[in-house]
Amino acid sequence: MSFNTLGLSAPLLKAIQEQGYTEPTPIQRQAIPVILQRKDILAGAQTGTGKTAGFTLPLLELLSRAKPEKQKSHHIRALILTPTRELAAQVGESVAVYGKHLPFKSAIIFGGVKINPQIAQFQKGVDIVIATPGRLLDLINQKVVDLSKVEFLILDEADRMLDMGFINDIKKILAILPKQRQNLLFSATYSEEIKQLSERLLNSPTLIEVARRNIASETVEQVVYQVDKERKKELLLHLIKEGNWKQILVFTRTKHGANRLSEQLEKEGISSAAIHGNKSQNARTKALADFKDGKVSVLVATDIAARGIDIDQLPHVVNFELPNVPEDYVHRIGRTGRAGYGGEAVSLVCVDELEFLQSIEKLIKKDIQKVALKAFKPDPTIKAEPINMGGNRGARNKPRGGNGGGQQVRAKHPRSSSRGRN
Ligand code: AMP
């Protein structure tokens, strides 16, 4: 199947061709025709499935079908909301790439950077706004952004927005949008909250579900290395050196853990950077650019900071610590093995994390291959202790066997904390 049959016009087909895409992905095949029929959609699709083009292409197409006067007026006709700055930037980049041969102007809006340059973007008129909710509200309050002519609303990674506590901001934004509009909701997971949001937002939506990344991820080889917690860093160094790995995305559960590991790797002579919410936007952008350029071999990231990181052909993803939310594992390994390229997802798992591993295997409906390297065989006398989710550093040093003192986490993560956590 080719893109030509989906109902997209020449300027978009040209941009697609320039990107080198030969055929639409499943989400694109399903979503594009439905969106072009002006229907609301509720789509279950994760990063890596091609979802961004799945909504950006038909959006641009519909915008370009409007009368010329409307197109020339450059008022905000489409609003795309994303949970993180990185995702806003990347969706913005996609809008620019796919809309290259069309006359629309877009603005990318997120917090953590100066507001004035963002305000300046609106002076010449903007057709498409890609924004995180908090900063958008600031600009609405300052009367810089007028959403009264919005025809299309897209919520990207809506589950993550709710997890990050954006629901009230979203409600405020919904309240000022025109009632007559087309709504597209993308979410990697379905929860009761997503159901409620979609009922509030969508009119008789078409449901679209594409194979979860874990099912589609045959190209990702998954391995678990069993190892004691104290020896994880040593094992990571061993794997990097033995395998001559060059570009590695490493996940930790906490910001503190990301910083510490990055510093330790640097000390061992491996160029490394950490990326998480306590870093300034500029530091995060630089770390990502250095990683993409190969100046930095290891990027250590927390889950939320890594959302939306889009690096084609990333060869190695390492779970230095398993996530306590099994879906996050799927997101993490989705960073490798993209677009048909092989990839490897390695998890370093200590005895404390065996329950997390079980939940992950249950979710992906597959046993992950387990390896215990001779030199790193876990000490069988070490008993599992609760996982400390950060914040309380001292707890890590308590003797084994007792209550580790940290917050015990079993199935769910205290996610609904504050917005902007990362
Ligand atoms: P996304 O799921 O939107 O984050 O997209 C994941 C990656 O797939 C991005 O790097 C896109 O550039 C790429 N991509 C999107 N659509 C296609 C396609 N039809 N063929 C090949 N690659 C694609």
Side-chain angles (χ1 to χ4, degrees), residues 3 16 19-25 27-28 46-54 87 90 94 98 308-312 338-339:
F3 275 102
I16 291 167
Q19 281 302 294
Y21 303 166
T22 49
E23 57 176 42
T25 65
I27 183 81
Q28 292 161 3
Q46 303 175 334
T47 302
T49 53
K51 69 179 166 66
T52 316
L87 191 62
Q90 285 182 5
S94 295
Y98 303 132
I309 288 185
D310 182 15
I311 304 156
D312 286 336
R338 283 203 185 170

